[in-house]
Amino acid sequence: MSEPLLAIESVHVSYGRVQAVRDVSIEVPEGGLVALIGANGAGKSSVLAAAAGLVRPKSGAVRLDGRDITRWPAHRRVAAGLVLVPEGRQILGSLTVAENLRLGAYRRRRQAAPEAEMYDLFPVLAERRSLPAGSLSGGEQQMLAIARAMIARPRVMLLDEPSMGLAPKVVDEVFAAIEQIRRAGVTVVLVEQNARRALRTADTAHVMETGGTAHSGPAEELLSDPRVVKAYLGVD
Ligand code: ATP
């Protein structure tokens, strides 16, 4: 099998005495969509933080395209095409939609996509381009956060809880946007509370429990795995 585009290898993450991630390994093939699901505090965001370079793992390695990037600072990873869309979106509310997009492009300079491409991808942002980002709805802000990452022409997008706090109809729009990102050829790691939606979208998935990986496999199989159904899916 060919080398995964992103590989997280036996990563451990601690915050002081709190061990947040214990021996987690995840392989993400180019063009793949891998989901991480599990309860609050299971360590999902910490795995993304280690991949993005926001925390330094205590041990283990992160590889991008075979290169060991474990010690690279976050900005160097962005320049290499590994971008994080953090939980809570972190858009700048007083800046306009267009200005937020330009901030995403800034980090990639000449390699960045034209702003117009983002408006084609997310037409709702085109209509709102001159408005302060803070005036957008939660769903529109999530689209903006995704577009701000997409404008950097990422190879891998790490998406942390994109559907959090959104109404069901808006969650549909966010998942439609994730499908579009994928069609654009971007490899995705998706952390989601909405386990069923995540498993329906992903190729493979890992279920995290108290810092470790409890179950891993093709997303379709996990959707019908009685242990996963009982703990994370409940009744439809
Ligand atoms: P959530 O869905 O709530 O974000 P999660 O599965 O993403 O949960 P993490 O946010 O990675 O889990 O948290 C894993 C553990 O690490 C938790 O016990 C959490 O309290 C702890 N933790 C996370 N960030 C920090 C931090 N900056 N300092 C100390 N402890 C932290």
Side-chain angles (χ1 to χ4, degrees), residues 170-204:
V170 185
V171 172
D172 290 344
E173 291 169 14
V174 168
F175 274 88
I178 295 170
E179 298 283 0
Q180 259 177 300
I181 292 165
R182 200 179 187 187
R183 276 198 293 275
V186 177
T187 302
V188 179
V189 182
L190 171 65
V191 162
E192 255 296 330
Q193 282 288 311
N194 191 331
R196 188 181 300 279
R197 290 301 296 262
L199 292 177
R200 282 184 179 152
T201 308
D203 310 316
T204 58

Side-chain angles (χ1 to χ4, degrees), residues 42-115:
K44 306 178 300 295
S45 298
S46 298
V47 171
L48 292 194
L54 303 180
V55 295
R56 176 73 53 86
K58 269 230 141 78
S59 61
V62 181
R63 286 180 200 281
L64 182 67
D65 226 357
R67 273 185 298 181
D68 187 344
I69 63 167
T70 317
R71 305 188 79 79
W72 287 19
H75 65 85
R76 194 170 165 204
R77 300 183 199 212
V78 173
L82 180 61
V83 301
L84 171 69
V85 180
E87 188 177 323
R89 291 137 210 166
Q90 295 182 11
I91 58 157
L92 298 170
S94 60
L95 299 187
T96 66
V97 166
E99 286 164 344
N100 270 277
L101 285 179
R102 273 173 230 145
L103 279 180
Y106 176 76
R107 291 172 293 180
R108 288 277 265 176
R109 309 281 169 87
R110 260 163 291 171
Q111 288 115 302
E115 221 173 286

Side-chain angles (χ1 to χ4, degrees), residues 3-224:
E3 182 129 38
L5 181 55
L6 177 70
I8 292 163
E9 299 173 352
S10 301
V11 158
H12 292 248
V13 175
S14 296
Y15 305 101
R17 285 200 208 144
V18 180
Q19 193 180 39
V21 176
R22 206 168 6 93
D23 194 21
V24 167
S25 296
I26 293 168
E27 290 196 346
V28 191
E30 178 142 37
L33 198 159
V34 173
L36 289 186
I37 61 171
N40 275 334
K44 306 178 300 295
S45 298
S46 298
V47 171
L48 292 194
L54 303 180
V55 295
R56 176 73 53 86
K58 269 230 141 78
S59 61
V62 181
R63 286 180 200 281
L64 182 67
D65 226 357
R67 273 185 298 181
D68 187 344
I69 63 167
T70 317
R71 305 188 79 79
W72 287 19
H75 65 85
R76 194 170 165 204
R77 300 183 199 212
V78 173
L82 180 61
V83 301
L84 171 69
V85 180
E87 188 177 323
R89 291 137 210 166
Q90 295 182 11
I91 58 157
L92 298 170
S94 60
L95 299 187
T96 66
V97 166
E99 286 164 344
N100 270 277
L101 285 179
R102 273 173 230 145
L103 279 180
Y106 176 76
R107 291 172 293 180
R108 288 277 265 176
R109 309 281 169 87
R110 260 163 291 171
Q111 288 115 302
E115 221 173 286
E117 222 174 87
M118 295 306 113
Y119 296 136
D120 288 343
L121 204 54
F122 303 110
V124 68
L125 297 181
E127 293 160 26
R128 310 264 193 278
R129 73 180 86 182
S130 306
L131 297 178
S135 71
L136 304 188
S137 69
E140 289 163 354
Q141 290 190 14
Q142 184 61 55
M143 300 293 175
L144 176 56
I146 292 173
R148 191 180 56 183
M150 277 296 279
I151 204 167
R153 287 202 199 280
R155 298 184 72 193
V156 183
M157 191 183 290
L158 308 168
L159 270 171
D160 199 354
E161 306 264 12
S163 77
M164 181 136 86
L166 301 178
K169 187 175 151 284
V170 185
V171 172
D172 290 344
E173 291 169 14
V174 168
F175 274 88
I178 295 170
E179 298 283 0
Q180 259 177 300
I181 292 165
R182 200 179 187 187
R183 276 198 293 275
V186 177
T187 302
V188 179
V189 182
L190 171 65
V191 162
E192 255 296 330
Q193 282 288 311
N194 191 331
R196 188 181 300 279
R197 290 301 296 262
L199 292 177
R200 282 184 179 152
T201 308
D203 310 316
T204 58
H206 302 266
V207 180
M208 288 193 67
E209 282 174 8
T210 57
T213 309
H215 315 286
S216 298
E220 212 179 335
E221 283 176 21
L222 291 176
L223 259 178
S224 56

